[in-house]
């Protein structure tokens, strides 16, 4: 993990903020924590012995009523995930199908819906112009 990648990952985690994980550490406390613990964390990452902490489970209200479970990872785990994401996304994202929208940068549920509607509209107009799919 290159220093530049980790610095960018730390900035993104700090910008995203979010609730503290099971360890109680906020994203504001992450930078000072890293100053004291980085050598140990780095050696665990390099040795392949690092293990993420359990995810804190929180119940949040659903817009339609009721509640759903939300997992809140520890701030350190967010940092590591973000750093890995920044390295792996440029490698794998170009190989995804153009119609794949889940968990991809710059793509959302709205993009998927719009793409679906455009495809359905093209299909309907093609059938109309060729006369196929119509009843006599």
């Amino acid at each position: 993990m290159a220093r530049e990648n980790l610095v960018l990952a730390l900035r993104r985690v700090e910008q995203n903020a979010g609730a503290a994980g099971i360890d109680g550490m906020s994203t504001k406390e992450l930078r000072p924590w890293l100053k004291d613990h980085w050598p140990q964390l780095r050696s665990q990452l390099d040795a392949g012995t690092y293990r993420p902490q359990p995810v804190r489970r929180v119940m949040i209200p659903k817009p339609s009523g009721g509640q759903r479970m939300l997992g809140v990872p520890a701030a350190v785990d967010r940092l590591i995930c973000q750093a890995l994401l920044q390295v792996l996304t440029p490698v794998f994202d170009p190989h995804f199908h153009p119609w794949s929208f889940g968990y991809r940068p710059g793509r959302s549920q709205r993009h998927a819906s719009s793409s679906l509607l455009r495809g359905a509209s093209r299909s309907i107009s093609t059938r109309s112009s060729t006369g196929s799919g119509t009843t006599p």
Side-chain angles (χ1 to χ4, degrees):
M1 290 193 194
R3 178 173 169 71
E4 300 80 26
N5 181 42
L6 289 165
V7 169
L8 179 59
L10 179 58
R11 279 193 209 124
R12 288 191 174 159
V13 168
E14 288 172 333
Q15 287 171 350
N16 288 341
I22 200 162
D23 61 354
M25 184 182 353
S26 72
T27 56
K28 290 180 183 178
E29 297 169 301
L30 180 58
R31 189 177 293 259
W33 184 91
L34 287 169
K35 287 180 182 176
D36 294 336
H37 297 90
W38 176 245
Q40 179 186 358
L41 178 61
R42 180 64 191 230
S43 67
Q44 288 177 343
L45 290 168
D46 289 343
T49 59
Y50 178 79
R51 295 294 175 257
Q53 297 176 55
V55 173
R56 182 169 69 97
R57 296 178 182 194
V58 179
M59 296 301 286
I60 61 170
K62 292 166 64 174
S64 60
Q67 294 186 330
R68 73 174 180 91
M69 183 85 61
L70 177 70
V72 181
V76 174
D77 295 334
R78 285 186 225 172
L79 171 69
I80 294 167
C81 286
Q82 182 64 43
L84 289 171
L85 178 78
Q86 291 168 181
V87 171
L88 296 176
T89 296
V91 173
F92 292 104
D93 196 65
H95 303 288
F96 286 165
H97 194 282
W99 293 345
S100 174
F101 291 90
Y103 303 101
R104 293 182 62 199
R107 293 177 178 237
S108 68
Q109 181 181 358
R110 283 191 208 125
H111 292 108
S113 298
S114 295
S115 178
L116 180 65
L117 291 172
R118 278 194 309 276
S121 180
R122 271 189 241 125
S123 176
I124 290 169
S125 75
T126 302
R127 287 183 182 170
S128 299
S129 64
T130 61
S132 65
T134 58
T135 53

